[in-house]
Every structure is written in C-alpha cells, then in structure tokens.
Amino acid sequence: MATTNQLKQLAERSRKVANAIVKQDIPTIERNLEQIEKQSRKLADKVIKPGEEPERKAPYFLANIGIDGDRLSQEVKSINVLGAFEPRDILPDTDVEKFIEHKHQQTISNIIKDGHTQTINDYNAYFDRCLIQDWDKTKRKVFEELGQHIPTGTSSNSSDLFSTPGNSRSIFQTPLRGAPSGSFPGPSTPRSSYVERTVSFRSESASQLNQRHLIYFDIVSKLNNFRLSKIEYGVVNEFTNAAKKLGVDYVKKLVQCWQSLISIVGENNVIDGRFARYPLKERHYAKSYMAPASSPENKELYRNLLNGAKRYLEESYPFFPKYVNSFRTEALLGGQPSVSNTARAMLRAIHRPNGGIPINNLTMAENIPIWGHIYILLRQGHYQDALQVAEGYKSNFSKTDQTFIVYFTKYINNNNSLPSDDRQKLMTEIKQWPPFPHLYDPYKCLLYQIIAQMEELPQRPPTDSISPTFEDFMWLHLMCISEIDMESKTGSDILSLERFQKKVRDLGPAHFNHSGKDPMQYFRVLLLTLQFEKAIYYLYHEYTEDAVHFAISLAYYGLLRVPESAEAMALIIDEDESRPKLNFNTIIYQYVRKLANDKASSTAFQYLILLCLYGNRQTDSGRHQVELCHYYVRQLVYDTEAFSELVGDVRSREGQIKKYMPLMYIDDEQEFNEIIVYELAQQCVEDGKFKAAQSLYELTENYEKIIVLLNKMLAEYIWVSIQGVSMQPESAQELNPQEIKKVLQDYKKHQITMRLPAERIQTCEKLLGLVIQNVDLFPFEEDVSIIKQKAAAIDGFDGQLKNCVAELLLITMRCIHSRYEQLKEQTSFMSPSPSNKHLGDTLVLRQKAKCLVSFVGYLKSSAITSDVFQKLNEFESLMR
C-alpha cells in the first residue's frame, strides 16, 4: 500500500514537472504502452550493430563536390592524440633544477597571458578614451557654433555683425545663429550652459562700434607690446582713460566701473601706462587667487581686495561736491578747511533748515550732529580723524555710550576690526537696547553696526534718510564683513563675504538696475563684492565688448578663474558658487570671430595671443592652452587669408606672429616654422590652396617641399583634365601650368634646383611636358628593349606622376580603339575592295594596342591595377 502511494506521488510530481516544462500552446502526445514499444523498436533497428557496415551515402555526396571521404577518414584515424593528454611527470622534491625550469616556463607563460590580457584592456581603454575625446571636441565645436546668437535688441546695422558668409568649416567665418537669451547670475542661474552665450552690442551703429574697436584695440596692442618688452603696464588705468573717449550714453557709469577696478586691484601711480612706483606684474595675483579658500595667502588677498573696494567707495563719496557746492551759504565752508571742518560743512548742508534732512533724534553739539560728524569722517575713509573727533565729543555722550570710545579705539587700531571677545561683548550690549527703533540717532546706529560688524541691528532703526545711495549701501556692508574665509561658518549676526555675495545675487539685477535703465550698476555691485567671474558673465549679455576688455584686465592680473580643461564648453561653471570659473577662451574666441568677419585680422591676432595668459609648459592644462592659442591663430590666418600680414612674405616683410613669438611660447624660428608655417601649408595643400602653400614654404626656404607641391599641382591638373571636369576660376588660377613653369625656370636661374634631388626636378619636368607638350611615355613598337626601357623610366617616376600612368594608358587605348573603329567603318563603305592605306593603318593601330598591353606586363604591380589591365585587354581583343 505504501509503495502504491509512493508511485502515485511520483507520477503526480512527474506530471507537474512536465506541465512546467512543456509550453501550454503545444499539445501533449498521448501514447499507450504498445505504441511506445513499437517506436522504441524502430529506433533500435536504426542503430548499427557491431560488425555491420554503415550505409555509404555520405562518400557519394562528398564525391560530387570533389572530396575523398574515405581518404579523409583514414587520415583522421591515423592521428594520435594520446600524447596531447599525457600527464606531466611528477618532479622529485630533490630535483631543484627541474623545479626552477618548470617555474621559469610557467612564469613566461603567465607573463605572456597577462600581457595579452593587459594589452587588450589597454587597447579598449585607449579606444574608449579617444572616442570620448573626439566626441567632446566635436561636441564643443558644434556648441561653439550653435551657442552664439544675434541679440534680438540690436539694430539692423549691428545685427549683421555676426552674419558674414564664409566657408562652413571655418571657425572664424561660420555664420552664427539665433537662440533664446540666457539668464543672469542669480539664485536661478544654471550651473553651466552653452545656450546662454548671447552677445550684445545694444543699439550702437556700425561707426560707433568701429570707433570702440579702435580705442580698445590701441590699449590691447600697447599691453602686448609692454608684455613683449617685459615692462609692467597699468592696463586698468589705460582702459579707464580710453572709456572716457567712447561716445556711448552710459560712458559715465562705465568709467565708474573702471575706476572701481583700479582701486580694487590697487593699480596706483600710473602715468601713460607706466608705473611710477609699486608696479603690479603680469599675473600678479594669480597664485594667491587660485589658492584654496582656507589658505593664508588667499585670505590676505581677499582682505586687500576688499580694502580696495572700500577705498573706492570712500573716495567717491558723493555728498561733498553735491551739497557743499550747491549750498555754500548753509555749509559755511572756509577757504582752506580741514578734514573735520569739511565734514561739518557737509552736515550743515545735509541738515539745512529749508529742504534738508530733519534733525529729529539727532544728538547735537554746536548745531552739528556729533554722531553724524564721526560717521561722515569714517565714510570718507578718514579713520584717525574720526577717532580724534569722537574723543572730543566724549563729554557729549550719554552714560550708556561712554564705552563707545573704548570700542572705537580698538576698532581703528586693529585694522578696522574688533577682537573677537570685544565684538561679542558689544553685540550683547546692542541686543539689550530697548526695542524702540524710531528713538535712536541713525548715525549712532550705523556706527555701532559698523564697529560690531553686524549685518543689521536687532532693533532695525531707519537709516535710509542719511544713507540713501547705492554707494552707501555697499560701503556699509563691506565695512561689516568680518570673515574673509569663504568656508567659515558664521553666526546669524555676523556678515561674511560669502554671505554678502549670496545676498547680492539673491537681490538680482532688477534691485540695482532701476528697472533695467542702468545695467552697469549691477556689474559694479558684482565687482565690489569680488565676484569677478559672475560680473563678466553678467556684463557679457549686456555690453559684450566692454565685458571682453574687463575680462582681459582681470586675466592680466590673474583675477579670473578658468576651467582646467581648455575644451570646456560652458561660458561659466559654478559648481562651487563661491569660486566659479569663467571660460576666458570662449569670450576671446567669440570676440575674435567678429573681428575676423570684419577683416580686422591683425586686430584679432592681438586678442588671440592673450589666451596664453593662462598658458605654461609645466602643466597639462597650461600646455593645452598654448596649443589652443596656436590652433586659433592658424585658423585666423587661414580663414582671413592674411598670410603676408600675419605670417610674413619672403618679398615684403616679417609677419606679426614672428614678432610676438615669446608671448605664444614659441622659442625660435624652427619652432615657429613647425607650429605655424608647416601646419598652415599642409592645411592649404589639403584644401587646394596651392599658391598660399607655396608662399609659406618659400618663407622657410624649404624648396624641396615646394617642388613636391608643384608636382602635386601638376598631377592634380592632369587628373582634372583626364576626368573632363570643368574647373572653377579659382581652381584654374591655382592650377596654372604656365606659372608653375615660370617658377621652375626661376629656380633654375638662381641655381636653387642644384640643391634639390634630381628625381624631383625630373618628375616636375615630365609632368610639365605632359601638360604643355607631348611626351613620349609609352612604346608603340614591338621592341622588347624599348618596352623595358620605358617601363623602367615610369617605375622611377615620383608618386604624383606614377598615379597618372594608369589613366593615361586607358586614355591612350581609348584613342587607339576609337580611331580603329573609325577606320573600320570607312573600310566597310569601300567593300569589297578597301584601299591598302586603310588596311595598313588598321594594322598599325592593332600593333600599337598590342604593344601597350605588352608594356603593362613589364610595369610593377603597384603602378597598374588588375582592373586597368583587364580593360586594356578588352580594348585590344576588340581590335583583333
């Protein structure tokens, strides 16, 4: 019973397995035991029994296709494979020599195997790397073309600036296409985007733009000349003076931006571009600016730059000229007033009885707001005078303000910063003030806020009436910055540089630009907060040309961070908001495109060599930057065809590139030839600009290259003639055999050919002969010695001439066959008695065709292909 149950369970499990394996759409085959037995017997009958001969159908099948199956079977059976699987001899433990030999063989085998695997892996990795690099380069070029736009707000004159037609492969002559405008740096600014690269020249006419080009270019040219002479150049001062000459409606605001940059970088004591003392060198701040944010040199640099920004705002304090000169009667300013008396006069004008700011809540002494007197002196940058005046007003202070002098003295003597303990103590006292903001003297509140370096006081007293301007807002916040370290974590009351930068970005352009009427204002804000990369990025969308030259000034002093990869595509990369990177290459490149389209090639060149400001020979990125500069210079020369002007001409003058070689990291003339001349010549040859290539090679006196080029030109001419293609006028001018003949004659006259390989000259003469006159290349007599002689002569030809031989043979054979068919047609009309002359001519043509075929047999296989030989045979057979 138990066995029966087990069998049932086994059968059930078998059915489940079958159901799981067999697809449901295939019907099951049901057979009983008798049917299964019959099928089994049929299968058993087909099995060959021992001693039986198999059915021999396969040998007959193989014999039909020429295979001897029996012989192959015998050969297979004769192979002994036992040795291949014999076990290795076990080495005795004492046989050291055999053991070492065995290990040696194993080591070699493993090395070969590992090397093979490593080679495959290295190849795959290299292939992937090359593929990615090529794709990145191609993508970058595409983005460079598609990521440039004509601004929608430009006039008809300026809208044509970027639409010069040209060669589609050119990087300087490709027309630019429109695209949506990009956003400005703010909280919503994307990390990086190529579509943001708009260029804007506003509504200026072409004459205004040309004037600006000339004014700015004069400074750029002087900058490069000073760099070439290794003399420091006050570039920001010079751009400031140049901006004053520009006939634009925003020139006043533009000059203010340049003046702020002068103070920020500390470019002082400059006369006509030269430093009278304390010169700033090229890339003066680069090392400190690129250093980590936490490094001492980076902190010190930012501190100095901030001091420069504050100094600009203090020196440009607007109230003195505006109020004192307008209200001289109320100001009561004497003939030679001191700094303190000037501040008094300003306060009298500001708080004049009729029309001035009311003196409510102001602490007065002798009709002068005492807190205002201290504030005005501090606002103008007269720190020691402000401290001296404060000490004089000590008796006028209330009891709670007696400690102000202590804090103020420490603040002034500690480089405008309180010690940390004193700052915390003062902030605690301020937080204990009663919460009645309208009862406080606004000047006093501003002074306490500055000394405590708080972003704002807890009581938030109104101070707009005495600090109403943009400059006041910026100066107050810059004075309150207490932390230079970008990465430091500060409390809610303490203002750090990074925190203020973010606040400015959050406010955005609309807050500072007066509803778009003053785009330069936000740019100045970004400069004063040391956000140089974002400042250039913003201005680039508003006033492109000005942005380019601000970028040049900052790059000259090393105050622009750029992407480490010269192949970077985005205009700005701000993965770290506090340390963004600006694509200086793109800014210069796009501007140069416009100059190149305006045929200002020499001007464009002066801008391109500025790319090497970020070049060096020590790092990969520096070397890549130099190579990129060289590449752009070559493309500029090629696209504008300014070969004589930039590269030079052997008959006229030296080109500009050679003059500025040191700025491009080109050491000598040989390197100049390899990097610039030969690369340009090769590109000209590839694109069919043979005359330009010839001029370039003449510049280097590489006459052998010129002869090779002439041979190529002649071979090209022959090829075009053979193909029957009608040449364009430009091509016909390039491939002029008569001019080539004159060049060769001129070289012979000056004995230049004596220094060149004889076979090159012979090839050139042969090719000229083919073009200008008939040359006896092929044999037409059945003389084996002559045939061999002609074949040997052709085998010794240069590559250009040898490439034409096959086509010339076919043309010659076609001519013979065509003439033969004409004679054959004529003799058919004379039938049945054709003349002896016609019969003789046809016989001669047959002989010539036969000689040509025989002649081909003596040529090397590299000269004539099998297809050509077959065609020649076909023509010859048609004439039999």
Side-chain angles (χ1 to χ4, degrees):
M1 188 68 179
T3 305
T4 305
N5 291 335
Q6 289 177 356
L7 288 174
K8 287 182 179 179
Q9 292 175 0
L10 181 62
E12 186 66 27
R13 285 200 299 269
S14 300
R15 291 191 192 97
K16 290 181 179 180
V17 171
N19 292 335
I21 296 175
V22 179
K23 295 183 179 179
Q24 297 299 324
D25 55 348
I26 300 176
T28 58
I29 300 175
E30 302 247 351
R31 295 185 186 274
N32 55 29
L33 291 175
E34 185 178 353
Q35 290 173 327
I36 293 172
E37 185 179 3
K38 285 182 180 180
Q39 292 295 331
S40 301
R41 292 184 183 280
K42 286 182 180 180
L43 291 173
D45 291 339
K46 294 180 180 180
V47 177
I48 300 173
K49 305 296 188 295
E52 292 184 0
E53 287 290 330
E55 191 175 358
R56 296 179 56 82
K57 292 182 180 180
Y60 294 108
F61 173 76
L62 294 174
N64 289 332
I65 57 175
I67 298 175
D68 188 350
D70 292 335
R71 184 176 60 83
L72 291 176
S73 298
Q74 293 297 328
E75 289 179 355
V76 170
K77 290 178 181 178
S78 65
I79 298 174
N80 184 13
V81 296
L82 295 177
F85 301 99
E86 287 180 357
R88 293 180 301 176
D89 296 334
I90 299 176
L91 298 176
D93 294 341
T94 56
D95 195 345
V96 178
E97 184 177 351
K98 287 288 185 181
F99 174 78
I100 293 175
E101 182 182 353
H102 175 69
K103 283 294 183 183
H104 177 69
Q105 292 176 353
Q106 277 191 329
T107 302
I108 293 175
S109 176
N110 291 337
I111 289 174
I112 294 173
K113 184 178 179 181
D114 293 344
H116 177 70
T117 305
Q118 185 64 36
T119 301
I120 293 175
N121 294 337
D122 290 346
Y123 171 79
N124 291 333
Y126 178 74
F127 179 81
D128 292 341
R129 188 165 59 251
C130 290
L131 186 65
I132 293 171
Q133 288 176 351
D134 290 344
W135 166 238
D136 287 342
K137 290 180 181 179
T138 303
K139 184 169 60 174
R140 181 176 181 273
K141 289 180 181 179
V142 172
F143 286 174
E144 287 289 357
E145 300 304 330
L146 300 181
Q148 333 227 352
H149 333 292
I150 300 169
T152 56
T154 54
S155 66
S156 59
N157 289 331
S158 61
S159 65
D160 294 330
L161 287 173
F162 287 81
S163 58
T164 303
N167 187 353
S168 62
R169 68 182 291 280
S170 163
I171 64 167
F172 290 109
Q173 295 181 346
T174 306
L176 304 179
R177 305 180 184 276
S181 176
S183 61
F184 302 127
S188 61
T189 302
R191 294 297 183 190
S192 61
S193 178
Y194 72 92
V195 297
E196 297 169 5
R197 298 183 199 163
T198 57
V199 287
S200 173
F201 291 88
R202 290 281 167 170
S203 58
E204 298 167 62
S205 64
S207 60
Q208 285 178 313
L209 286 170
N210 290 333
Q211 180 197 16
R212 296 178 70 188
H213 289 334
L214 295 174
I215 292 174
Y216 276 135
F217 168 69
D218 182 54
I219 305 303
V220 173
S221 178
K222 288 180 180 178
L223 170 64
N224 286 328
N225 288 329
F226 271 70
R227 292 174 60 212
L228 193 62
S229 303
K230 297 183 179 180
I231 300 174
E232 294 81 6
Y233 186 63
V235 61
V236 185
N237 272 274
E238 290 299 285
F239 273 133
T240 305
N241 296 332
K244 296 175 182 177
K245 305 174 186 177
L246 300 177
V248 292
D249 54 356
Y250 62 95
V251 63
K252 181 179 178 181
K253 295 291 185 180
L254 180 62
V255 171
Q256 288 177 347
C257 293
W258 282 113
Q259 290 173 339
S260 68
L261 191 57
I262 290 176
S263 184
I264 291 170
V265 302
E267 196 181 84
N268 304 317
N269 308 306
V270 177
I271 303 173
D272 295 331
R274 295 177 179 269
F275 286 89
R277 54 180 178 171
Y278 309 124
L280 299 179
K281 298 183 179 183
E282 179 181 327
R283 309 286 293 164
H284 188 83
Y285 299 113
K287 183 178 179 181
S288 300
Y289 192 69
M290 306 301 174
S294 57
S295 62
E297 58 268 29
N298 188 263
K299 292 180 183 180
E300 184 64 24
L301 172 62
Y302 271 92
R303 189 175 290 108
N304 293 334
L305 295 176
L306 273 178
N307 289 337
K310 289 184 286 187
R311 186 165 53 251
Y312 160 75
L313 293 169
E314 290 162 356
E315 292 174 353
S316 61
Y317 185 56
F319 276 93
F320 174 74
K322 182 178 179 180
Y323 279 82
V324 174
N325 293 332
S326 299
F327 304 101
R328 283 185 169 272
T329 304
E330 292 85 350
L332 301 176
L333 184 64
Q336 293 181 342
S338 63
V339 171
S340 178
N341 288 334
T342 302
R344 287 171 176 268
M346 291 174 64
L347 287 168
R348 294 190 191 101
I350 293 171
H351 299 286
R352 62 190 180 279
N354 297 321
I357 299 174
I359 59 174
N360 299 335
N361 301 329
L362 299 183
T363 305
M364 308 293 291
E366 300 178 1
N367 294 325
I368 297 294
I370 60 174
W371 295 104
H373 195 182
I374 302 170
Y375 172 80
I376 292 295
L377 290 171
L378 197 65
R379 177 67 181 82
Q380 289 183 301
H382 304 302
Y383 302 142
Q384 293 296 332
D385 294 300
L387 178 58
Q388 186 177 354
V389 167
E391 291 173 345
Y393 286 129
K394 186 175 182 179
S395 59
N396 300 97
F397 291 160
S398 65
K399 183 178 180 181
T400 57
D401 293 323
Q402 291 298 315
T403 58
F404 172 80
I405 296 297
V406 177
Y407 289 123
F408 194 40
T409 302
K410 291 182 178 180
Y411 175 84
I412 297 298
N413 294 335
N414 194 39
N415 196 18
N416 297 347
S417 177
L418 275 180
S420 179
D421 294 339
D422 291 319
R423 185 192 303 154
Q424 293 296 329
K425 185 178 179 182
L426 178 59
M427 286 193 296
T428 302
E429 293 179 9
I430 293 173
K431 291 177 181 180
Q432 293 175 356
W433 289 0
F436 305 112
H438 294 282
L439 300 179
Y440 294 108
D441 187 322
Y443 287 116
K444 170 186 170 181
C445 293
L446 289 177
L447 287 171
Y448 271 98
Q449 181 181 347
I450 291 170
I451 297 172
Q453 292 183 303
M454 300 175 68
E455 185 172 2
E456 61 181 7
L457 298 183
Q459 295 77 13
R460 297 187 178 182
T463 58
D464 292 342
S465 60
I466 61 170
S467 179
T469 66
F470 151 77
E471 288 82 4
D472 291 329
F473 169 83
M474 292 301 299
W475 177 82
L476 176 64
H477 283 79
L478 293 181
M479 291 293 287
C480 291
I481 291 175
S482 59
E483 297 291 346
I484 298 298
D485 189 352
M486 300 285 215
E487 299 176 352
S488 62
K489 296 181 180 179
T490 57
S492 59
D493 296 323
I494 299 176
L495 184 64
S496 67
L497 177 59
E498 183 178 358
R499 186 168 175 174
F500 184 50
Q501 289 175 339
K502 187 177 186 305
K503 179 177 181 177
V504 166
R505 294 196 301 269
D506 290 342
L507 290 173
H511 181 82
F512 298 96
N513 289 357
H514 306 296
S515 301
K517 297 179 182 178
D518 186 10
M520 299 299 295
Q521 190 82 302
Y522 186 61
F523 172 69
R524 189 154 54 122
V525 171
L526 294 171
L527 283 181
L528 292 170
T529 54
L530 312 184
Q531 302 184 79
F532 302 130
E533 293 82 9
K534 290 185 180 293
I536 301 299
Y537 175 74
Y538 164 75
L539 189 64
Y540 192 75
H541 299 80
E542 298 292 333
Y543 299 104
T544 300
E545 192 154 19
D546 298 311
V548 169
H549 296 90
F550 272 104
I552 290 172
S553 301
L554 290 166
Y556 176 72
Y557 287 122
L559 290 174
L560 276 183
R561 294 185 185 89
V562 299
E564 293 182 3
S565 172
E567 295 293 331
M569 290 172 288
L571 186 58
I572 192 168
I573 301 172
D574 53 354
E575 296 171 355
D576 181 356
E577 287 192 356
S578 63
R579 300 172 75 85
K581 296 177 181 178
L582 186 77
N583 199 326
F584 182 70
N585 295 340
T586 299
I587 288 177
I588 296 297
Y589 159 76
Q590 290 183 357
Y591 186 67
V592 166
R593 281 171 59 104
K594 182 203 170 306
L595 296 176
N597 289 337
D598 288 345
K599 301 302 180 183
S601 53
S602 60
T603 305
F605 169 71
Q606 292 288 337
Y607 284 88
L608 279 181
I609 58 180
L610 293 171
L611 295 178
C612 285
L613 285 170
Y614 288 92
N616 59 67
R617 288 175 174 167
Q618 289 74 40
T619 63
D620 291 338
S621 59
R623 287 188 291 269
H624 198 166
Q625 187 75 13
V626 172
E627 291 172 4
L628 186 68
C629 174
H630 296 165
Y631 170 75
Y632 281 155
V633 168
R634 288 195 301 267
Q635 287 302 113
L636 173 67
V637 175
Y638 182 85
D639 294 336
T640 60
E641 298 183 351
F643 298 100
S644 176
E645 183 179 4
L646 295 179
V647 182
D649 189 282
V650 69
R651 298 178 181 86
S652 57
R653 58 176 180 170
E654 182 180 80
Q656 288 192 35
I657 297 177
K658 187 174 286 189
K659 176 183 176 183
Y660 292 96
M661 286 194 309
L663 300 185
M664 299 172 61
Y665 290 88
I666 299 177
D667 294 332
D668 50 37
E669 189 167 351
Q670 180 181 355
E671 194 172 353
F672 167 75
N673 293 338
E674 292 174 354
I675 293 174
I676 303 297
V677 181
Y678 292 152
E679 290 286 341
L680 272 174
Q682 183 63 30
Q683 189 173 358
C684 290
V685 171
E686 291 174 358
D687 293 345
K689 295 184 177 182
F690 298 116
K691 288 187 176 180
Q694 179 185 339
S695 300
L696 290 168
Y697 284 131
E698 284 180 348
L699 190 65
T700 63
E701 297 184 356
N702 193 336
Y703 295 105
E704 184 175 356
K705 283 276 189 182
I706 295 174
I707 295 298
V708 173
L709 176 63
L710 296 180
N711 292 342
K712 182 177 178 64
M713 293 166 66
L714 289 168
E716 190 83 13
Y717 182 87
I718 294 171
W719 176 262
V720 171
S721 302
I722 289 171
Q723 298 297 322
V725 180
S726 59
M727 288 189 290
Q728 297 294 329
E730 297 83 1
S731 302
Q733 188 177 4
E734 292 283 345
L735 302 174
N736 190 334
Q738 295 297 336
E739 291 190 10
I740 296 174
K741 184 179 180 181
K742 289 179 182 179
V743 171
L744 190 60
Q745 290 174 348
D746 188 52
Y747 286 176
K748 287 183 177 180
K749 180 180 178 181
H750 293 89
Q751 297 183 346
I752 295 174
T753 55
M754 301 293 290
R755 294 177 276 166
L756 302 177
E759 60 272 13
R760 303 279 193 196
I761 304 298
Q762 291 173 4
T763 300
C764 190
E765 291 173 343
K766 286 284 185 182
L767 287 168
L768 272 172
L770 281 174
V771 176
I772 298 173
Q773 59 186 1
N774 293 326
V775 176
D776 188 17
L777 275 182
F778 307 133
F780 296 108
E781 300 176 4
E782 292 184 357
D783 189 334
V784 177
S785 61
I786 295 176
I787 292 175
K788 288 182 178 180
Q789 182 181 356
K790 298 285 186 181
I794 287 181
D795 288 336
F797 284 167
D798 204 357
Q800 285 85 3
L801 181 55
K802 194 178 291 185
N803 292 336
C804 300
V805 170
E807 289 291 337
L808 289 172
L809 277 169
L810 286 173
I811 291 173
T812 306
M813 183 63 87
R814 289 194 192 101
C815 292
I816 294 172
H817 179 262
S818 178
R819 180 59 182 159
Y820 175 82
E821 291 293 328
Q822 290 176 1
L823 288 174
K824 189 176 179 181
E825 186 178 354
Q826 291 175 4
T827 55
S828 65
F829 289 109
M830 300 177 185
S831 181
S833 57
S835 65
N836 293 331
K837 182 179 184 304
H838 283 80
L839 292 173
D841 289 345
T842 55
L843 189 62
V844 169
L845 290 174
R846 287 177 186 170
Q847 179 185 353
K848 288 185 176 182
K850 186 178 180 181
C851 286
L852 278 181
V853 175
S854 301
F855 170 69
V856 171
Y858 285 94
L859 292 175
K860 291 183 178 179
S861 58
S862 59
I864 304 297
T865 63
S866 58
D867 293 339
V868 173
F869 186 70
Q870 183 179 354
K871 289 178 181 179
L872 292 173
N873 271 322
E874 289 175 358
F875 279 117
E876 196 268 337
S877 63
L878 292 173
M879 298 169 63
R880 291 176 187 170

